[in-house]
Amino acid sequence: MDAPARIAFLGTYPPRRCGIATFTRDLATGMLAADDSMKPLVVAVTDEGLQYDYAPDVEYEIRQGTKSNYARAAELVNYKAVRWLSLQHEYGIFGGDDGAYILDFLGALRVPAVVTLHTVLDTPSPSQRAIVQKMAKAAVLVVMSQVAADLLARRYELQGARVEIIPHGIPDMSPRDQEGLKARFGVAGQRMLLTFGLLGPNKGVETVIRALPALVAAHPDLVYFVVGATHPAVLRQNGEAYRTSLERLAEQLGVREHVVFRDQYVTTQELCSYLQAADVFVSPYLNEAQVTSGALSYAMGAGSAVVSTPYWHAKELLAEGRGRLFPFGDSVGLAKTIAALFDDPAELARVRSHGYEYTRAFTWPRVGAQYLQLGETLGRAGTRARVRRDEPRASSLPELRLDHLLRLTDDTGIIQHATFSVPARESGYCVDDNARALMVALHAEALSGSADTKRLVSTYLAFLHAAQTPEGRFRNFMSYGRTFTVTGDGTESEDCTGRALWALGATAHLSRDEGQRMLARQMFERGLLHATELGPRGTALTMLGLTAFLSGHPEVAPAAELLARLAGRLCRRYRQEATAGWRWFEPALTYDNALLPLALWRAHALTRDPESRDVAHEALDFLEAACFRDDRLVLVGNAGWHVRGGKRPDADEQPIDAAAFVLAVRGAYLVTRDHRYLRRMREAFAWFLGANRLGAAVYDSATAGCRDGLGENVPNLNQGAESTVSFLMSLIEMLELAGEGLEYAHGAEAAAPPASA
């Protein structure tokens, strides 16, 4: 007798309150209804800092921001002899930039996988597009509408990938006593409108409220129910400001007694009761870019007449008279559309019946059967064999730990130096280190959202704020007694200004706190007044700040124009200085060298200027030739630097230079998609772990700090701020690209694109 089919499910899961959790549970239940011999195994994604009382079928938890959990979860699935796995994908539920940690899971998985895409973006970022493309190499993709399948082909270049369309499942809701349900909600004998779902500004509920005065004038018995808790992300950022604004709007329009707000997370049974009680379900989204709406499918399946704005999924589901559409934000049009249905009871009944019959194929047992059939075809094909090159992998990377960063940081900022692992308070603080630390804290905040990372971001930003003068310049050094000092000639370094601008541009884009973003932008714009005074390194660092800022604010034309001017200046400096045997911007290789080509790679990614790309390519090639020996990084030492025509020193190699290499080759990879750069990235990072001239680990896993460099014969055992933050910046870059091995799925060797790509 055959053993029960073991099928794994990966996603959020109840009692966590989110739509993906409900979907994961309902899909598993639907498959069980279609085949009661199926045995589910659930891997639940849990948000950081919270615990849930999961059901026994949850056999493993992935902590959202804990990178190592993903590969370990895949190993569990492999061990449990699972036939295939169903994965629910939404960018916001997995760790890493745009949820990139899910690629670690797929990279370690050895059973067939089906990935259900709950969001398909029309204008994805390069990172978001790459994640979907890599998932398509590792799994079959399922979307819930034809428009989503078309988007994958058009925007993600996945014409040849296997993409299946399976609709969003719904409960099998048999007709019930509508008036009895209305009586339960206190509106017996009245007309009932309903909008359901997690509440947020994109919901468009204000459009419905603005339509109510005209509707109520014609139908005084009308009541509009808004059912659903405020979206957790909205609640964290803005509290109940949106809900309060809706209540005030209803008051101002004189229809407050006709609006019922139910701020609650309802069970599926309660939701079905609301939907079956409603005469009309209104879906007033403000944005057309919505390829799936579970609430819309549920409403049709409940027999409610649906009136919706013409977002993509609505146009597809409500075609052929299965509902009514009205223009985005058009409250007048909405009022006319609903009034026409109420004034024609026969047409209202026809629309309700038509939608109900159409969605019979959407019930969970039928949807579960479709998934089971798809999974069986994958199971017969067998487990995929994968051939990989030697690129970054989750299992080979340390975990992101902030122990030593926290040890070095007090309520003023990060202390510059340490004696071994003990903060050297007498060394005080500097803008350079606090700017670097701010960027690390921003990324750590995105991964975990812990109280520690929130405090770190605020502390480092506050230090930069105190360091900036009213004219926009930065005072670099502060004593432990909190007194700013100046250099001997009264000027500050270009690095200080450039690094501050880089960190502020990143904060204006990445911070989760609106106040922090606003302050960072003000400081950034004030500091840019001095950007044209800087030399090559200061210019490159400012360009990195501009590219970070423009990633979040592409509409700011002056910033884009300044980026183009600075890139042109750096390229001219290269053309003036470079020769056939010395392709560099200066007559010497000194410190933080790789940041110069990095700035041009990132500028090219935004401006598409071919000169920036060509100079970045030539300069990075030259630097690689100078600093790699037998695939091992040997940095230019700061004991004399490497002057053109002279002998280069190796002694006193610095972590800051290794970090610059990691960032630069990643920047090159993201532009060219040349996998040679992934190998260079791994080799550069391995310098921290012992693959260096001395064979000595620079990263100290016991303290989570980084030693200050490599002397001629021994490492420098002190663990200061610059070294530790350089390591953390490098590790974050590595963690973000740890899933690149999926490029080699099915043993196919990916051809490296030309440098002009």
Side-chain angles (χ1 to χ4, degrees):
M1 185 175 182
D2 291 340
R6 195 114 204 246
I7 299 173
F9 297 84
L10 171 60
T12 56
Y13 204 73
R16 181 171 175 176
R17 294 183 170 184
C18 77
I20 301 295
T22 304
F23 186 98
T24 307
R25 179 201 61 200
D26 290 345
L27 178 58
T29 303
M31 289 193 203
L32 273 170
D35 179 2
D36 60 7
S37 71
M38 189 270 287
K39 186 177 181 182
L41 179 158
V42 178
V43 178
V45 182
T46 301
D47 33 357
E48 294 294 333
L50 295 179
Q51 292 184 331
Y52 298 105
D53 186 15
Y54 287 120
D57 52 355
V58 175
E59 297 195 24
Y60 190 82
E61 286 184 60
I62 291 177
R63 286 284 166 183
Q64 181 180 12
T66 305
K67 185 175 175 62
S68 61
N69 281 184
Y70 290 82
R72 290 172 187 164
E75 292 165 3
L76 169 77
V77 173
N78 297 334
Y79 175 77
K80 293 287 188 176
V82 165
R83 296 260 188 104
W84 59 280
L85 174 129
S86 170
L87 188 157
Q88 309 311 314
H89 180 266
E90 182 69 78
Y91 289 107
I93 66 174
F94 302 115
D97 281 359
D98 296 316
Y101 287 0
I102 194 59
L103 299 178
D104 295 346
F105 177 89
L106 290 172
L109 191 66
R110 292 292 176 268
V111 302
V114 173
V115 174
T116 302
L117 301 179
H118 289 257
T119 296
V120 180
L121 300 173
D122 183 35
T123 54
S125 69
S127 169
Q128 291 164 338
R129 180 186 293 109
I131 288 170
V132 173
Q133 290 171 334
K134 290 164 192 166
M135 290 193 299
K137 292 179 180 292
V140 173
L141 302 183
V142 170
V143 292
M144 303 182 209
S145 61
Q146 183 62 51
V147 68
D150 294 342
L151 275 177
L152 287 178
R154 189 169 71 252
R155 300 296 193 195
Y156 298 77
E157 301 174 355
L158 291 179
Q159 295 90 339
R162 183 170 180 185
V163 178
E164 301 286 338
I165 301 174
I166 301 178
H168 194 296
I170 62 172
D172 189 357
M173 292 174 272
S174 301
R176 297 164 69 187
D177 176 14
Q178 184 183 16
E179 286 304 318
L181 292 172
K182 285 184 178 180
R184 181 191 301 181
F185 300 128
V187 290
Q190 296 180 259
R191 290 176 171 85
M192 180 175 171
L193 301 183
L194 172 68
T195 295
F196 164 77
L198 293 173
L199 197 60
N202 186 51
K203 207 75 173 179
V205 172
E206 63 273 17
T207 305
V208 187
I209 293 176
R210 291 192 179 102
L212 288 181
L215 282 169
V216 169
H219 302 285
D221 62 342
L222 184 146
V223 180
Y224 176 41
F225 278 73
V226 181
V227 178
T230 299
H231 195 289
V234 174
L235 197 61
R236 285 194 299 269
Q237 290 287 334
N238 302 307
E240 292 290 2
Y242 180 60
R243 186 184 299 274
T244 301
S245 72
L246 296 175
E247 293 172 346
R248 289 175 179 169
L249 179 61
E251 290 278 2
Q252 293 166 3
L253 296 176
V255 293
R256 184 64 183 86
E257 68 274 16
H258 293 272
V259 184
V260 176
F261 289 96
R262 294 286 168 85
D263 180 9
Q264 59 186 139
Y265 187 89
V266 299
T267 65
T268 299
Q269 183 178 1
E270 291 169 333
L271 172 59
C272 292
S273 295
Y274 276 111
L275 291 168
Q276 291 184 301
D279 297 293
V280 176
F281 178 84
V282 188
S283 185
Y285 282 115
L286 299 177
N287 190 332
E288 70 170 353
Q290 177 117 351
V291 296
T292 304
S293 172
L296 189 67
S297 300
Y298 271 51
M300 294 174 70
S304 181
V306 175
V307 176
S308 175
T309 50
Y311 56 87
W312 295 330
H313 197 211
K315 286 196 290 187
E316 190 171 314
L317 281 188
L318 302 183
E320 301 177 359
R322 293 187 289 268
R324 294 288 187 271
L325 299 174
F326 70 97
F328 293 103
D330 184 1
S331 55
V332 174
L334 173 60
K336 291 179 179 178
T337 301
I338 294 175
L341 287 173
F342 282 147
D343 292 340
D344 189 346
E347 178 63 10
L348 178 64
R350 190 201 66 77
V351 171
R352 295 178 65 175
S353 176
H354 200 7
Y356 179 80
E357 292 302 325
Y358 180 76
T359 54
R360 291 307 83 210
F362 295 7
T363 59
W364 280 116
R366 295 189 180 186
V367 167
Q370 291 185 64
Y371 274 93
L372 284 171
Q373 184 177 7
L374 175 59
E376 285 304 308
T377 64
L378 296 179
R380 287 194 294 270
T383 301
R384 295 167 295 126
R386 299 186 185 177
V387 178
R388 283 184 166 72
R389 291 185 181 180
D390 191 13
E391 64 279 323
R393 285 290 308 279
S395 59
S396 65
L397 297 175
E399 288 194 31
L400 181 63
R401 292 171 51 200
L402 304 182
D403 308 44
H404 195 53
L405 190 73
L406 290 165
R407 190 179 299 120
L408 289 170
T409 303
D410 59 18
D411 60 356
T412 298
I414 188 167
I415 294 169
Q416 286 193 81
H417 300 307
T419 304
F420 303 115
S421 61
V422 179
R425 295 177 176 175
E426 69 278 4
S427 64
Y429 319 84
C430 69
V431 164
D432 284 320
D433 290 340
N434 279 273
R436 294 187 191 98
L438 175 55
M439 288 188 285
V440 167
L442 285 168
H443 285 277
E445 165 82 2
L447 295 178
S448 70
S450 69
D452 280 337
T453 57
K454 292 177 190 294
R455 179 180 63 81
L456 290 175
V457 171
S458 181
T459 298
Y460 302 140
L461 180 59
F463 183 89
L464 296 185
H465 188 221
Q468 189 176 37
T469 68
E471 297 79 24
R473 300 182 186 277
F474 290 90
R475 299 167 293 178
N476 195 13
F477 296 104
M478 176 190 275
S479 70
Y480 190 67
R482 296 186 178 180
T483 300
F484 279 105
T485 61
V486 295
T487 56
D489 60 1
T491 62
E492 298 299 350
S493 72
E494 294 181 0
D495 284 16
C496 164
T497 299
R499 289 192 189 284
L501 291 174
W502 185 6
L504 292 171
T507 306
H509 171 40
L510 296 175
S511 175
R512 293 182 175 182
D513 181 88
E514 183 179 8
Q516 291 175 353
R517 294 194 304 271
M518 292 172 61
L519 174 60
R521 180 167 180 172
Q522 290 175 1
M523 295 171 63
F524 180 70
E525 292 174 344
R526 196 157 60 237
L528 284 180
L529 298 174
H530 309 285
T532 57
E533 305 169 0
L534 307 176
R537 255 170 206 74
T539 296
L541 290 162
T542 302
M543 288 168 60
L544 293 170
L546 285 164
T547 57
F549 176 78
L550 287 166
S551 296
H553 304 279
E555 76 286 354
V556 182
E561 293 166 2
L562 179 57
L563 175 63
R565 290 204 308 274
L566 295 180
R569 172 187 293 179
L570 200 57
C571 288
R572 286 193 299 275
R573 175 66 180 252
Y574 175 84
R575 299 298 183 199
Q576 293 165 3
E577 197 67 48
T579 65
W582 187 265
R583 299 192 307 277
W584 195 242
F585 305 83
E586 300 169 303
L589 290 173
T590 56
Y591 64 95
D592 227 357
N593 296 299
L595 287 188
L596 277 70
L598 169 64
L600 290 172
W601 283 122
R602 290 195 180 175
H604 170 73
L606 291 179
T607 66
R608 312 311 296 175
D609 170 46
E611 186 181 27
S612 295
R613 176 201 63 216
D614 293 345
V615 171
H617 197 282
E618 290 178 17
L620 186 57
D621 279 355
F622 171 72
L623 198 58
E624 284 186 77
C627 295
F628 279 91
R629 301 176 189 171
D630 299 324
D631 297 328
R632 186 178 65 182
L633 183 63
V634 181
L635 295 161
V636 174
N638 69 3
W641 308 125
H642 180 21
V643 179
R644 178 166 42 197
K647 182 180 178 181
R648 58 159 287 177
D650 290 338
D652 291 336
E653 297 176 58
Q654 301 290 303
I656 186 177
D657 295 297
F661 252 113
V662 172
L663 270 66
V665 290
R666 184 190 178 190
Y669 170 72
L670 291 175
V671 171
T672 66
R673 295 294 168 180
D674 185 342
H675 285 78
R676 178 179 70 85
Y677 288 118
L678 288 182
R679 295 194 297 279
R680 280 295 193 221
M681 188 177 177
R682 179 189 58 78
E683 290 159 3
F685 183 76
W687 182 91
F688 289 99
L689 306 181
N692 52 49
R693 177 174 51 85
L694 297 182
V698 184
Y699 171 63
D700 183 349
S701 59
T703 65
C706 182
R707 299 181 175 102
D708 281 348
L710 299 177
E712 186 173 357
N713 299 306
V714 295
N716 182 334
L717 298 182
N718 296 328
Q719 299 176 15
E722 180 184 284
S723 304
T724 295
V725 174
S726 294
F727 170 77
L728 292 172
M729 290 178 71
S730 302
L731 178 58
I732 286 168
E733 296 286 320
M734 294 294 292
L735 293 174
E736 288 175 351
L737 279 188
E740 287 300 325
L742 294 177
E743 293 291 337
Y744 301 103
H746 310 293
E749 289 291 325
S756 59

